[in-house]
Amino acid sequence: MGGGNAQKTAIARERNQAKMRAMQGGASQLGNNAKAMSIKCKICKQAFMCTQNEQDLMNHVEGKHKGKTYEDCFDPIYVAIPTTATVYKGRKVAYEQLGTDAKRGYPKDSGAAEFETKEAAYEHIMANVSYITDADSITYVES
């Protein structure tokens, strides 16, 4: 036995709703992927995903910009660890000091956060640690 008018109307409604969702953006990740391209080479303006590790960025520097340093091409990442009141310049330094690596990430209980400026990292620690009131109480590790 065939479907009645109510069934046909329900199917048509579902199709129209699916079309409307697709037109409003749907499940496309193109916009999110474009936002994630947040690391940019200062020299050639090539964009990299925010999840790119420092070794891959160093390979870019060595391959495309011979004679330049990492700092010439990219702004450093500052890692703030509120539990130890420490700011690290670069992910590599932070991973070494914390005894971990990029695959395992920062320890969950450390409260680690990454920042583009040293000042923002300091502010994060001062906001999250009640007994620290000035920048002199924060340890800064460069290498």
Side-chain angles (χ1 to χ4, degrees):
M1 303 250 150
N5 284 339
Q7 185 179 7
K8 291 177 186 176
T9 303
I11 291 171
R13 187 179 304 119
E14 288 175 5
R15 284 186 191 144
N16 288 336
Q17 286 175 347
K19 283 182 191 176
M20 292 303 291
R21 279 194 298 270
M23 289 173 54
Q24 293 175 352
S28 175
Q29 290 185 331
L30 294 177
N32 291 338
N33 289 349
K35 290 177 193 171
M37 300 292 273
S38 61
I39 300 175
K40 223 174 229 184
C41 176
K42 292 189 241 179
I43 297 171
C44 68
K45 307 297 183 206
Q46 181 175 348
F48 297 91
M49 294 282 285
C50 61
T51 56
Q52 202 78 31
N53 65 35
E54 288 182 2
Q55 184 58 45
D56 290 341
L57 298 176
M58 254 330 273
N59 290 342
H60 169 80
V61 173
E62 293 167 359
K64 290 205 173 185
H65 309 297
K66 298 216 185 292
K68 300 286 184 185
T69 64
Y70 180 88
E71 283 77 21
D72 292 336
C73 291
F74 302 104
D75 292 325
I77 299 289
Y78 296 93
V79 181
I81 311 290
T83 56
T84 59
T86 308
V87 173
Y88 298 101
K89 181 179 181 182
R91 290 181 185 121
K92 184 177 179 183
V93 175
Y95 289 141
E96 287 173 359
Q97 294 292 320
L98 296 170
T100 185
D101 58 20
K103 281 190 175 188
R104 289 185 287 173
Y106 304 114
K108 301 278 188 241
D109 60 350
S110 69
E114 295 181 351
F115 298 92
E116 292 181 5
T117 65
K118 183 178 174 182
E119 292 77 22
Y122 273 60
E123 287 174 16
H124 175 73
I125 289 178
M126 286 189 274
N128 288 302
V129 181
S130 60
Y131 59 87
I132 293 182
T133 57
D134 61 348
D136 295 334
S137 304
I138 298 172
T139 305
Y140 179 68
V141 180
E142 208 167 302
S143 58

PDB file of all heavy atoms in Angstrom, residues 81-84 98 106-112:
ATOM      1  N   ILE A  81      52.439  28.369  32.888  1.00  0.00           N
ATOM      2  CA  ILE A  81      52.085  27.268  33.782  1.00  0.00           C
ATOM      3  C   ILE A  81      51.769  27.873  35.155  1.00  0.00           C
ATOM      4  O   ILE A  81      52.682  28.171  35.934  1.00  0.00           O
ATOM      5  CB  ILE A  81      53.238  26.240  33.902  1.00  0.00           C
ATOM      6  CG1 ILE A  81      53.781  25.826  32.552  1.00  0.00           C
ATOM      7  CG2 ILE A  81      52.787  25.045  34.739  1.00  0.00           C
ATOM      8  CD1 ILE A  81      52.852  24.982  31.725  1.00  0.00           C
ATOM      9  N   PRO A  82      50.495  28.081  35.467  1.00  0.00           N
ATOM     10  CA  PRO A  82      50.138  28.706  36.751  1.00  0.00           C
ATOM     11  C   PRO A  82      50.560  27.903  37.979  1.00  0.00           C
ATOM     12  O   PRO A  82      50.900  28.483  39.002  1.00  0.00           O
ATOM     13  CB  PRO A  82      48.610  28.818  36.682  1.00  0.00           C
ATOM     14  CG  PRO A  82      48.280  28.778  35.238  1.00  0.00           C
ATOM     15  CD  PRO A  82      49.327  27.913  34.611  1.00  0.00           C
ATOM     16  N   THR A  83      50.561  26.570  37.901  1.00  0.00           N
ATOM     17  CA  THR A  83      50.877  25.766  39.090  1.00  0.00           C
ATOM     18  C   THR A  83      52.305  25.967  39.571  1.00  0.00           C
ATOM     19  O   THR A  83      52.587  25.819  40.756  1.00  0.00           O
ATOM     20  CB  THR A  83      50.638  24.269  38.818  1.00  0.00           C
ATOM     21  OG1 THR A  83      51.398  23.877  37.676  1.00  0.00           O
ATOM     22  CG2 THR A  83      49.163  23.989  38.589  1.00  0.00           C
ATOM     23  N   THR A  84      53.211  26.305  38.666  1.00  0.00           N
ATOM     24  CA  THR A  84      54.600  26.549  39.048  1.00  0.00           C
ATOM     25  C   THR A  84      54.979  28.019  38.899  1.00  0.00           C
ATOM     26  O   THR A  84      56.136  28.386  39.125  1.00  0.00           O
ATOM     27  CB  THR A  84      55.562  25.700  38.198  1.00  0.00           C
ATOM     28  OG1 THR A  84      55.385  26.024  36.813  1.00  0.00           O
ATOM     29  CG2 THR A  84      55.337  24.222  38.421  1.00  0.00           C
ATOM     30  N   LEU A  98      58.870  20.151  31.440  1.00  0.00           N
ATOM     31  CA  LEU A  98      57.771  19.416  32.060  1.00  0.00           C
ATOM     32  C   LEU A  98      57.905  17.905  31.884  1.00  0.00           C
ATOM     33  O   LEU A  98      57.084  17.145  32.390  1.00  0.00           O
ATOM     34  CB  LEU A  98      56.432  19.887  31.487  1.00  0.00           C
ATOM     35  CG  LEU A  98      56.076  21.340  31.782  1.00  0.00           C
ATOM     36  CD1 LEU A  98      54.875  21.770  30.972  1.00  0.00           C
ATOM     37  CD2 LEU A  98      55.823  21.532  33.263  1.00  0.00           C
ATOM     38  N   TYR A 106      50.713  18.929  27.485  1.00  0.00           N
ATOM     39  CA  TYR A 106      51.036  19.426  28.820  1.00  0.00           C
ATOM     40  C   TYR A 106      50.282  18.605  29.865  1.00  0.00           C
ATOM     41  O   TYR A 106      49.186  18.130  29.598  1.00  0.00           O
ATOM     42  CB  TYR A 106      50.656  20.894  28.949  1.00  0.00           C
ATOM     43  CG  TYR A 106      51.290  21.777  27.906  1.00  0.00           C
ATOM     44  CD1 TYR A 106      50.524  22.418  26.947  1.00  0.00           C
ATOM     45  CD2 TYR A 106      52.666  21.964  27.871  1.00  0.00           C
ATOM     46  CE1 TYR A 106      51.103  23.220  25.978  1.00  0.00           C
ATOM     47  CE2 TYR A 106      53.257  22.759  26.905  1.00  0.00           C
ATOM     48  CZ  TYR A 106      52.467  23.385  25.965  1.00  0.00           C
ATOM     49  OH  TYR A 106      53.054  24.170  25.014  1.00  0.00           O
ATOM     50  N   PRO A 107      50.852  18.462  31.056  1.00  0.00           N
ATOM     51  CA  PRO A 107      50.117  17.754  32.121  1.00  0.00           C
ATOM     52  C   PRO A 107      48.771  18.438  32.387  1.00  0.00           C
ATOM     53  O   PRO A 107      48.688  19.664  32.421  1.00  0.00           O
ATOM     54  CB  PRO A 107      51.044  17.882  33.334  1.00  0.00           C
ATOM     55  CG  PRO A 107      52.398  18.117  32.763  1.00  0.00           C
ATOM     56  CD  PRO A 107      52.179  18.873  31.489  1.00  0.00           C
ATOM     57  N   LYS A 108      47.741  17.634  32.568  1.00  0.00           N
ATOM     58  CA  LYS A 108      46.376  18.164  32.735  1.00  0.00           C
ATOM     59  C   LYS A 108      46.253  19.058  33.971  1.00  0.00           C
ATOM     60  O   LYS A 108      45.549  20.051  33.948  1.00  0.00           O
ATOM     61  CB  LYS A 108      45.372  17.013  32.845  1.00  0.00           C
ATOM     62  CG  LYS A 108      45.355  16.106  31.650  1.00  0.00           C
ATOM     63  CD  LYS A 108      44.505  16.675  30.550  1.00  0.00           C
ATOM     64  CE  LYS A 108      44.351  15.670  29.435  1.00  0.00           C
ATOM     65  NZ  LYS A 108      44.862  16.085  28.181  1.00  0.00           N
ATOM     66  N   ASP A 109      46.953  18.713  35.031  1.00  0.00           N
ATOM     67  CA  ASP A 109      46.817  19.478  36.267  1.00  0.00           C
ATOM     68  C   ASP A 109      47.699  20.734  36.312  1.00  0.00           C
ATOM     69  O   ASP A 109      47.690  21.460  37.286  1.00  0.00           O
ATOM     70  CB  ASP A 109      47.122  18.593  37.472  1.00  0.00           C
ATOM     71  CG  ASP A 109      48.529  18.013  37.443  1.00  0.00           C
ATOM     72  OD1 ASP A 109      49.200  18.137  36.402  1.00  0.00           O
ATOM     73  OD2 ASP A 109      48.951  17.445  38.461  1.00  0.00           O
ATOM     74  N   SER A 110      48.460  21.005  35.243  1.00  0.00           N
ATOM     75  CA  SER A 110      49.350  22.168  35.255  1.00  0.00           C
ATOM     76  C   SER A 110      48.629  23.463  34.911  1.00  0.00           C
ATOM     77  O   SER A 110      49.107  24.539  35.227  1.00  0.00           O
ATOM     78  CB  SER A 110      50.505  21.962  34.267  1.00  0.00           C
ATOM     79  OG  SER A 110      50.023  21.984  32.933  1.00  0.00           O
ATOM     80  N   GLY A 111      47.486  23.372  34.238  1.00  0.00           N
ATOM     81  CA  GLY A 111      46.764  24.581  33.837  1.00  0.00           C
ATOM     82  C   GLY A 111      47.478  25.330  32.733  1.00  0.00           C
ATOM     83  O   GLY A 111      47.313  26.545  32.587  1.00  0.00           O
ATOM     84  N   ALA A 112      48.267  24.633  31.929  1.00  0.00           N
ATOM     85  CA  ALA A 112      49.072  25.261  30.878  1.00  0.00           C
ATOM     86  C   ALA A 112      48.196  25.938  29.837  1.00  0.00           C
ATOM     87  O   ALA A 112      47.136  25.444  29.477  1.00  0.00           O
ATOM     88  CB  ALA A 112      49.957  24.218  30.206  1.00  0.00           C
TER      89      ALA A 112
END
